Amino acid sequence: MKKKVIIIGAGFGGLTAAKNLSNTDFELTIIDKTNHHLFQPLLYQVATAALSPSDIAVPIRSLLSGYKNIKIILDEVEAIEASEHKGTLKNSESQLEFDYLIVAVGGRHSYFGNEKWEQIAPGLKTLTDALVIREKIIEALELAEKESNEDLIKKYLTFVIVGGGPTGVELAGAIAEIAKETMIKDYKNFRPEDTKVILIEAADRILPSFDKKLSEQAKEDLLHMGVEVKLNTKVENVTEDGVYTNNSFISAKTIIWAAGNQASQLLKSLNTEIDNVGRVIVKPDCSIPNHPEIFVIGDAAHFKEEDGKVLPGVAQVAIQQGKFVAEMIRKEIPYDKRPKFNYIDKGTMATIGKAKAVAEIKGLKLTGLIAWLSWSLVHIFFLIGFRNRFRVMIEWIWYYITKKHGTRLIVGK
């Protein structure tokens, strides 16, 4: 009888594990609450109208249709019974049994206990999030176009991004280009200099995971683009009127949250130790204590390296862990003989705007056009499917030459 492997989540980690277990004697089942694999690193470009959703998302079934041993279920896992090797689905009465389980669920943005802020300041984790943000940005410009009250115009043209990590920096740069260079030309009631983009960071520098010099360069690039960077600034409240910080009040219509992450609530059902953001503290082989048949990878895992550092929640970590775990299962290596997962850091990158980026690649620190070209090539390479790569490349070339964004639609309420 074939052994059953369940993979929860079709992100980078889950998809990599599935492909490495394809065409084997294992019976694979992938469960995801969406029907598509999402290329999250480019999500901010959908949110800022540079790309369409279909440019960065591919149906899971089309990706895996050629593998006979893989079954796909569109549903959400509500609970995992580790000792009984069972999973409970949200929209089905039947339980799924497994011999091996790979938990590769992504996380959500964290409001640090202030969940009511989400209605006003959406985060950016899914395509739905990106479309909500895109429409908020365009709607704010439309409201300013028909307004005569100067205070309201100022409020509509103020865009606040909370959080100075890669997502916050990329959003701030992209919105600055929209508000001060590209879309702004289509409006007659205000000028580019009337718009204000503010990036708020609680720490003393943006991009804290990067080298300090690169953080400073990113800040200088943002300032040059007209972004106001507020460091050592903590958000104390978010309302329909704007953002209250420890230093001041900022009147704004559009507020975007990029300040923190929290793991899926599903992980609590594993009844094992978790960290302060809800990630499972895994063993050196990515399994959980007392259950060597259950692996947790990617954003859901708290994996500590020998130097004490916890691996970041980035795509490369999930991809490498997915491949590693699939190898452990494929060879059915006993727990006491399993090697330790060893992460190979291939570098970190963040784009700030057109021809502006920062990158750290194996000790090499890049800025400006070279970093931006490196960023572009890496992201094109990792996009799934030739069609997506070609389309995104054409969109970027078109935008670089014309300075015009394409996907500027308000379609839902």
Side-chain angles (χ1 to χ4, degrees):
M1 188 175 179
K2 289 184 177 180
K3 289 192 174 181
K4 297 177 180 179
V5 180
I6 289 180
I7 301 173
I8 305 175
F12 289 108
L15 202 61
T16 301
K19 287 188 172 182
N20 279 272
L21 285 168
S22 63
N23 298 326
T24 63
D25 289 332
F26 292 96
E27 185 181 301
L28 267 67
T29 302
I30 297 180
I31 307 165
D32 200 292
K33 58 186 176 183
T34 67
N35 78 329
H36 55 267
H37 168 75
L38 177 65
F39 192 79
Q40 263 193 341
L42 293 181
L43 199 53
Y44 82 96
Q45 293 210 353
V46 174
T48 53
L51 295 175
S52 298
S54 60
D55 292 333
I56 66 166
V58 185
I60 300 165
R61 292 188 186 279
S62 67
L63 288 173
L64 302 174
S65 61
Y67 305 120
K68 294 181 179 180
N69 68 322
I70 299 179
K71 179 182 179 182
I72 298 159
I73 294 178
L74 178 62
D75 208 329
E76 185 175 355
V77 178
E78 281 194 317
I80 300 165
E81 297 176 30
S83 58
E84 296 186 23
H85 288 189
K86 291 181 180 179
T88 303
L89 297 175
K90 183 177 182 179
N91 300 307
S92 175
E93 293 182 2
S94 60
Q95 286 189 314
L96 294 176
E97 297 181 351
F98 60 84
D99 295 291
Y100 290 99
L101 174 67
I102 302 173
V103 183
V105 289
R108 287 290 289 170
H109 27 270
S110 171
Y111 293 85
F112 309 106
N114 301 289
E115 307 311 317
K116 62 181 180 180
W117 295 353
E118 185 170 11
Q119 298 301 316
I120 304 164
L124 185 59
K125 290 291 183 184
T126 67
L127 278 180
T128 301
D129 294 337
L131 295 176
V132 167
I133 291 171
R134 186 183 78 183
E135 296 194 0
K136 282 176 74 72
I137 293 169
I138 300 171
E139 185 181 45
L141 296 174
E142 295 294 339
L143 288 170
E145 178 72 357
K146 65 181 182 181
E147 187 57 62
S148 57
N149 183 298
E150 288 189 8
D151 288 337
L152 282 177
I153 292 175
K154 185 178 179 182
K155 178 181 178 179
Y156 295 148
L157 295 180
T158 299
F159 303 88
V160 177
I161 301 95
V162 182
T167 299
V169 167
E170 289 170 344
L171 278 168
I175 294 173
E177 288 183 337
I178 286 173
K180 296 182 178 294
E181 195 173 348
T182 57
M183 284 190 198
I184 203 76
K185 297 173 183 177
D186 296 338
Y187 297 89
K188 312 300 180 186
N189 195 37
F190 48 86
R191 301 164 299 170
E193 55 265 34
D194 293 332
T195 62
K196 185 180 286 188
V197 181
I198 301 171
L199 178 63
I200 297 175
E201 170 55 45
D204 60 355
R205 64 185 177 104
I206 59 173
L207 299 178
S209 62
F210 283 67
D211 179 82
K212 196 168 185 178
K213 288 184 179 179
L214 293 181
S215 293
E216 284 299 317
Q217 183 60 55
K219 180 185 173 184
E220 288 302 314
D221 287 340
L222 287 174
L223 292 174
H224 184 73
M225 295 171 71
V227 177
E228 185 178 343
V229 180
K230 290 181 176 288
L231 302 176
N232 300 304
T233 303
K234 185 179 179 181
V235 172
E236 295 182 340
N237 197 14
V238 177
T239 71
E240 295 286 353
D241 296 322
V243 180
Y244 293 83
T245 75
N246 58 323
N247 298 320
S248 63
F249 168 72
I250 304 167
S251 177
K253 165 72 174 173
T254 307
I255 306 160
I256 303 169
W257 193 266
N261 297 300
Q262 62 182 358
S264 168
Q265 295 295 306
L266 171 66
L267 301 175
K268 291 181 179 179
S269 68
L270 288 170
N271 292 318
T272 189
E273 189 179 1
I274 59 175
D275 65 10
N276 61 343
V277 294
R279 296 174 299 182
V280 171
I281 298 175
V282 296
K283 298 181 80 64
D285 66 336
C286 298
S287 69
I288 68 172
N290 303 317
H291 287 283
E293 74 284 358
I294 298 178
F295 300 89
V296 181
I297 63 174
D299 291 356
H302 173 116
F303 187 97
K304 189 175 288 187
E305 295 185 287
E306 288 181 357
D307 60 4
K309 291 182 180 179
V310 177
L311 291 180
V314 296
Q316 266 303 315
V317 172
I319 290 169
Q320 291 182 36
Q321 287 181 333
K323 186 176 181 180
F324 172 84
V325 165
E327 187 77 357
M328 297 301 101
I329 294 172
R330 190 172 63 83
K331 293 182 177 178
E332 297 200 72
I333 300 174
Y335 174 69
D336 58 352
K337 293 182 180 179
R338 289 177 187 172
K340 177 188 174 184
F341 170 69
N342 181 39
Y343 175 58
I344 300 171
D345 189 353
K346 296 186 177 180
T348 52
M349 299 178 171
T351 181
I352 299 149
K354 188 176 70 174
K356 295 183 181 72
V358 291
E360 282 185 79
I361 305 171
K362 295 185 177 180
L364 190 64
K365 298 174 179 61
L366 305 174
T367 60
L369 179 61
I370 294 175
W372 184 78
L373 288 171
S374 300
W375 176 91
S376 301
L377 289 170
V378 165
H379 285 74
I380 287 290
F381 177 78
F382 278 107
L383 265 175
I384 293 174
F386 173 78
R387 180 185 175 194
N388 295 62
R389 292 171 186 163
F390 181 75
R391 197 159 57 187
V392 169
M393 188 167 62
I394 293 299
E395 287 280 358
W396 284 348
I397 293 170
W398 171 255
Y399 168 58
Y400 193 90
I401 295 171
T402 67
K403 297 183 180 180
K404 290 184 178 180
H405 281 232
T407 317
R408 298 158 54 177
L409 307 176
I410 299 175
V411 295
K413 283 287 183 183

